Amino acid sequence: MVREKVRVDSRTLQWKCVESRADSKRLYYGRFILSPLMKGQADTIGIAMRRALLGEIEGTCITRAKSAKITHEYSTIVGIQESVHEILMNLKEIVLRSNLYGTCDAAICARGPGYVTAQDIILPAYVEIVDNTQHIAGLTEPIELCIGLQIERKRGYFLKTSKNFQDESYPIDAIFMPVRNVNHSIHSYGTGNEKHEILFLEIWTNGSVTPKEALQEASRNLIDLFIPFLQTEEENLHLEDNQHMVPLRPSTLPDKLVKIKKKKKQIALKSIFIDQSELSPRVYNCLKRANIYTLLDLSTNSQEDLMKMDHFCLEDVKRIVHILETNFGIHLPKNKFESQ
């Protein structure tokens, strides 16, 4: 456990982790402060962060199981202590950590007698089990247990319905919420016009992410929601409702305002990570190997630069150009001379 004394800097807004511990493999705790804040700001930020932490962070879960031996969800199999329903409930409790995009397949292949645990799951390299000791089933006879699994990474939760059932395949309720609970509290200090606030955030996670990682991801997701409000300068210049009014030309803006606008756009692009775009896992991994993590990093390259990267093809570049132009209004030059 790590714990630090709370020290308030009355000049610069800053955050700090004052306590961090792992109560178990599936329960992490972190306590953070943000200060100094003006009166009312702590409650605004605390409520927004709590909602983002609980609902805007992605998690990885097993969402479907398939086996030829399973006749229906509430059946039993000779040589296995648990019913099929109990096995599905045990699979629901398995906590996974991954950088998966979309879905992938996994499998359980075990032979009795003995206990089947999470360590018996055969996973892709980019998916990791948080606690390998999690129990799945007990085999009392020398039989084989083979189950195909589907793994997904999403937000929110997935509830099985009658429409989800398929032949020899059974859906599993999934809660894609790595944050178990969030509390926020406020400490006020000072008097009169010098009154300030300290925001305390307490975060519990299931071990697939640390509280610090959860806090940073939630912050990025909140920033993404507000970025459209920063992209209003050019739109306000086009007054379609009144054709008699002539819009200002960008060239008439003072140089200082143009520089501020450019800096705002750079800050916004720096806050958007490429994993939040509609890129395939292969393209995303290629960009990461080239040290490209944000849209700002990507926008400093030309189409010619991207074509020089390993495992990149013309269709990949066209896809990136389309996403940047359609979603973010960014024109990627064909070469470095065009960008100049």
Side-chain angles (χ1 to χ4, degrees), residues 162-173:
S162 57
K163 296 180 180 180
N164 300 134
F165 287 88
Q166 302 173 5
D167 294 339
E168 300 179 356
S169 178
Y170 299 89
I172 300 173
D173 290 340

Side-chain angles (χ1 to χ4, degrees), residues 6 8 38 73 111 118 150 175 182 211 222 259 268 291:
V6 178
V8 179
M38 296 176 63
E73 184 182 1
R111 183 174 180 81
Q150 178 180 282
I175 302 176
V182 180
L222 274 179
K259 290 179 180 179
N291 295 321

Side-chain angles (χ1 to χ4, degrees), residues 236-277:
N236 288 337
L237 296 178
H238 301 284
L239 304 177
E240 297 179 358
D241 296 336
N242 193 340
Q243 299 179 357
H244 300 287
M245 297 187 67
V246 181
L248 294 174
R249 297 179 181 177
S251 58
T252 62
L253 296 173
D255 293 340
K256 186 176 180 180
L257 185 57
V258 173
K259 290 179 180 179
I260 293 174
K261 177 182 172 183
K262 185 176 180 182
K263 187 175 181 181
K264 277 187 176 182
K265 187 173 183 180
Q266 288 180 343
I267 293 174
L269 294 179
K270 191 176 181 181
S271 303
I272 305 177
F273 291 76
I274 59 173
D275 61 350
Q276 297 164 285
S277 305

Side-chain angles (χ1 to χ4, degrees), residues 299-331:
S299 64
T300 57
N301 290 269
S302 65
Q303 299 180 33
E304 184 181 24
D305 295 331
L306 297 180
M307 285 296 298
K308 292 178 182 179
M309 295 181 185
D310 294 336
H311 311 297
F312 245 68
C313 63
L314 182 59
E315 292 301 320
D316 297 332
V317 176
K318 288 182 178 179
R319 177 64 177 163
I320 290 176
V321 170
H322 175 73
I323 291 174
L324 292 179
E325 290 183 350
T326 304
N327 299 338
F328 305 101
I330 301 173
H331 172 70

Side-chain angles (χ1 to χ4, degrees), residues 91-136:
L91 291 173
K92 175 183 176 181
E93 296 299 318
I94 293 176
V95 180
L96 300 173
R97 175 170 48 233
S98 78
N99 57 359
L100 170 69
Y101 290 86
T103 63
C104 72
D105 295 326
I108 299 174
C109 292
R111 183 174 180 81
Y115 291 104
V116 181
T117 62
Q119 67 179 355
D120 295 305
I121 301 177
I122 303 171
L123 294 167
Y126 45 83
V127 181
E128 179 185 351
I129 297 173
V130 171
D131 184 4
N132 285 326
T133 64
Q134 285 180 263
H135 179 77
I136 297 175

